[in-house]
Amino acid sequence: MSRVPFYLLVGALLVIGIVLTIFRHFHYDVPFLPGEQRQIWEVEAQVNFDADNGPVRVDLALPTNQPGFRLLTENTASSGYGLSYLRNDNARHAQWAIRQANGPQQLYYSAQFLVTDGEEAFLAEPPALQQDIAWARPYDTAAREVIDQAHTRSADAFTFTRELIKEFTDQRQGENARLLLSQYERPVLLTRLLNQANVHARIVNGLTLEDGRRRQALTSWLQVFENDKWVLINPRTGEQGKPKNLLLWEAQGNAVLEVQGGSDSHVSFSMLRHNEPASVAVRNQFADDTLLNFSIHSLPIEEQALFKTILLIPIGALVVVLLRVLVGLETSGTFMPVLIALAFIQTTLITGLVGFLLVVAVGLVIRSYLSRLNLLLVARVSAVIITVIAIISLFSVMAYRFGLNAGLTITFFPMIILSWTIERMSILWEEEGPREVLKQGFGSLLTAVLAYLAMNNPWVRHITFNFLGVQLILMAMILLLGNYTGYRLLELRRFQPLAKDD
């Protein structure tokens, strides 16, 4: 029979598992190593204004995901106000409203931003050019001369903008520049000049992040477009590019703050930087129920804790397959060692080993007596189950009375599996003798210990819980091992005499 479909299946599982794992790491910033830290900025905006003793509506522009920053959480504090988050095209803003307000008012908006290395999707459509830009005399003549001078020393929209800004620096500032600056603020003036020169540009507002700063204001930047590209240019220095610590708060050329029904309004910002574990920092991203973002993190905490253990079982299964197929180790039951290893995770290794040996030893003694009663299999196994429960209960009470709290964790052992283990070992004792019982018992314990060490590794626990694609990789590896038909390591001793003859 052709094995091609089998290898195609294994290859597909490997490719899909690896692609999903790499995708989650790079797209959702899920770390491969546990304990990694991520830098978080907490930014608070405080809106202050005086209400006019009537209805009030406040609109505050809000930031979005952008290169270098990803929005994690946002909260507001506004006693008595109704709140809505609104989106118009690519712009977001919070809108507070109240029917009656009077006197000084304070509204708060806070957000957490994750510092990222990747480039987040940040769409920006070029703004429409301002039509029929009017200049009073003699400003029209000054504007044309400044534009002409910058145009001759530039090659595209970006170099033109930089040269235009240089005309207004202190070193090269001429009569025309001083005249225009006396009538307009620098960002507004530069935008008018760029639009007159048929360059798409607008004013955007950004927040310079500095740890521990309070009562900071937004700064204005020029967003200049040419074809499908855009850049940020500092209107004060002409520097091109977005600084790493600049958070674009409003990037569509709209007003940052609008207050209807109030006066003397302004907004100030405070910021704080701290580090958090990477798993905590990106956890909110797993709430998106999409196929590529399929994640256990979207479940309630109780179910997450359950799956954190369940997802370790394939690791234990892989260990069992390796030891049985490649090494040739015999165990009592196929996957009983995996369940015992899960119990060891709850009890700790030493406590689990001692408890397992005690329960099985006492259970075998009692099972030997039950065998003399010639009971049917179902009744005998049921009696063993009740006996195991009684033994575990007795040991737990004794451990508590002697102050051995670790002994209480013996209740985590799977009682049905222990009962079947005792039954199988008892039958094996009768049919094969004590040597075979010790051999399979030692193999089971060794496999359980190795599976415990693999499953309890912090890196393994982190990978299996955060990257579900790993389960497909494990499946592919187990399928490949299941196709192995060669010699096992423990079987090689049969050929030892041949080696000595040579």
Side-chain angles (χ1 to χ4, degrees):
M1 182 177 178
S2 175
R3 306 294 291 174
V4 173
F6 171 77
Y7 289 114
L8 288 177
L9 173 63
V10 171
L13 290 173
L14 280 174
V15 170
I16 295 173
I18 293 172
V19 168
L20 288 177
T21 301
I22 294 176
F23 178 81
R24 287 180 63 77
H25 173 69
F26 288 102
H27 186 75
Y28 294 106
D29 204 25
V30 182
F32 282 131
L33 297 177
E36 288 190 21
Q37 299 286 314
R38 291 289 186 270
Q39 189 177 105
I40 303 292
W41 281 98
E42 291 190 20
V43 181
E44 181 184 80
Q46 178 179 332
V47 178
N48 294 273
F49 65 95
D50 292 326
D52 297 336
N53 194 23
V56 175
R57 192 178 74 182
V58 179
D59 287 272
L60 175 67
L62 301 181
T64 58
N65 293 338
Q66 56 192 270
F69 298 97
R70 185 179 301 162
L71 178 64
L72 294 181
T73 61
E74 53 186 354
N75 299 283
T76 62
S78 51
S79 178
Y81 281 80
L83 172 66
S84 298
Y85 290 102
L86 306 177
R87 180 182 290 272
N88 296 323
D89 297 328
N90 295 322
R92 297 174 61 244
H93 65 276
Q95 185 176 93
W96 290 272
I98 192 171
R99 185 67 64 176
Q100 182 71 28
N102 186 35
Q105 304 288 309
Q106 285 186 336
L107 306 175
Y108 294 90
Y109 168 85
S110 62
Q112 286 189 334
F113 295 92
L114 170 67
V115 177
T116 62
D117 296 327
E119 292 291 311
E120 301 296 328
F122 190 65
L123 302 177
E125 295 293 334
L129 292 173
Q130 297 183 31
Q131 300 297 327
D132 301 327
I133 299 177
W135 303 87
R137 291 183 179 275
Y139 303 105
D140 55 346
T141 303
R144 284 195 302 271
E145 291 182 1
V146 169
I147 290 174
D148 292 340
Q149 292 174 5
H151 189 270
T152 57
R153 295 192 297 268
S154 62
D156 54 25
F158 307 135
T159 55
F160 172 73
T161 304
R162 295 199 301 266
E163 291 299 324
L164 193 63
I165 294 173
K166 289 179 182 179
E167 295 291 333
F168 295 92
T169 58
D170 293 336
Q171 293 81 3
R172 294 175 53 178
Q173 193 175 109
E175 292 293 334
N176 292 328
R178 284 194 292 270
L179 178 64
L180 291 171
L181 286 175
S182 66
Q183 184 70 14
Y184 300 94
E185 293 184 0
R186 182 184 293 257
V188 176
L189 173 61
L190 291 172
T191 305
R192 287 173 61 89
L193 293 172
L194 289 169
N195 277 259
Q196 183 170 334
N198 294 321
V199 175
H200 293 268
R202 63 181 163 213
I203 300 173
V204 297
N205 292 277
L207 180 64
T208 302
L209 299 177
E210 297 180 35
D211 189 25
R213 298 299 298 269
R214 301 171 60 245
R215 298 177 182 175
Q216 299 300 296
L218 298 177
T219 55
S220 297
W221 291 72
L222 294 177
Q223 189 179 35
V224 182
F225 295 80
E226 184 172 63
N227 299 327
D228 295 332
K229 298 181 180 180
W230 63 267
V231 297
L232 285 182
I233 299 180
N234 191 327
R236 294 162 293 280
T237 63
E239 294 180 1
Q240 180 175 318
K242 178 179 177 293
K244 289 185 176 181
N245 65 334
L246 180 67
L247 173 66
L248 290 180
W249 195 269
E250 198 294 309
Q252 299 298 321
N254 302 321
V256 174
L257 177 64
E258 292 182 335
V259 177
Q260 298 181 18
S263 59
D264 194 22
S265 61
H266 65 278
V267 58
S268 59
F269 299 84
S270 302
M271 61 212 74
L272 188 66
R273 181 182 62 195
H274 62 87
N275 292 327
E276 285 187 1
S279 58
V280 176
V282 300
R283 182 169 297 167
N284 74 301
Q285 301 171 61
F286 303 132
D288 298 332
D289 295 326
T290 61
L291 179 61
L292 293 179
N293 195 25
F294 182 75
S295 172
I296 301 300
H297 293 77
S298 60
L299 296 175
I301 298 297
E302 183 177 357
E303 280 69 21
Q304 288 187 42
L306 176 63
F307 272 99
K308 196 165 190 176
T309 301
I310 292 176
L311 292 173
L312 293 173
I313 293 179
I315 297 293
L318 179 62
V319 173
V320 172
V321 172
L322 286 170
L323 293 178
R324 287 181 65 105
V325 174
L326 297 184
V327 180
L329 202 64
E330 295 184 26
T331 62
S332 178
T334 306
F335 290 103
M336 181 271 288
V338 178
L339 300 177
I340 299 302
L342 285 176
F344 288 167
I345 292 176
Q346 304 294 331
T347 63
T348 69
L349 183 58
I350 301 301
T351 303
L353 282 173
V354 173
F356 177 79
L357 293 174
L358 284 175
V359 171
V360 172
V362 175
L364 284 174
V365 172
I366 297 176
R367 168 63 178 76
S368 65
Y369 169 74
L370 293 176
S371 64
R372 300 175 187 175
L373 302 179
N374 296 322
L375 300 175
L376 295 175
L377 176 63
V378 176
R380 188 170 66 241
V381 173
S382 300
V384 173
I385 292 175
I386 297 174
T387 301
V388 168
I389 294 174
I391 295 171
I392 291 178
S393 301
L394 178 63
F395 286 164
S396 297
V397 172
M398 292 177 60
Y400 178 73
R401 291 294 179 87
F402 286 104
L404 302 175
N405 293 331
L408 298 176
T409 58
I410 197 174
T411 55
F412 287 104
F413 276 109
M415 298 177 186
I416 304 299
I417 299 300
L418 285 178
S419 302
W420 273 109
T421 301
I422 293 171
E423 177 69 19
R424 288 170 59 89
M425 286 187 173
S426 179
I427 295 175
L428 191 63
W429 189 299
E430 295 172 355
E431 296 179 353
E432 303 290 339
R435 180 180 177 183
E436 192 66 24
V437 171
L438 291 176
K439 185 167 118 178
Q440 290 194 15
F442 173 77
S444 298
L445 276 183
L446 178 60
T447 304
V449 170
L450 293 177
Y452 161 80
L453 294 176
M455 296 161 66
N456 203 43
N457 182 280
W459 182 79
V460 172
R461 296 171 69 92
H462 172 80
I463 288 292
T464 55
F465 183 63
N466 290 284
F467 298 92
L468 294 185
V470 172
Q471 305 297 321
L472 300 180
I473 299 174
L474 294 174
M475 171 70 80
M477 295 174 65
I478 290 174
L479 290 177
L480 283 176
L481 289 171
N483 198 42
Y484 177 75
T485 57
Y487 289 106
R488 296 172 174 86
L489 291 178
L490 294 181
E491 291 178 340
L492 296 179
R493 61 183 179 180
R494 292 188 302 171
F495 302 98
Q496 189 174 5
L498 296 177
K500 290 181 179 179
D501 293 340
D502 294 340

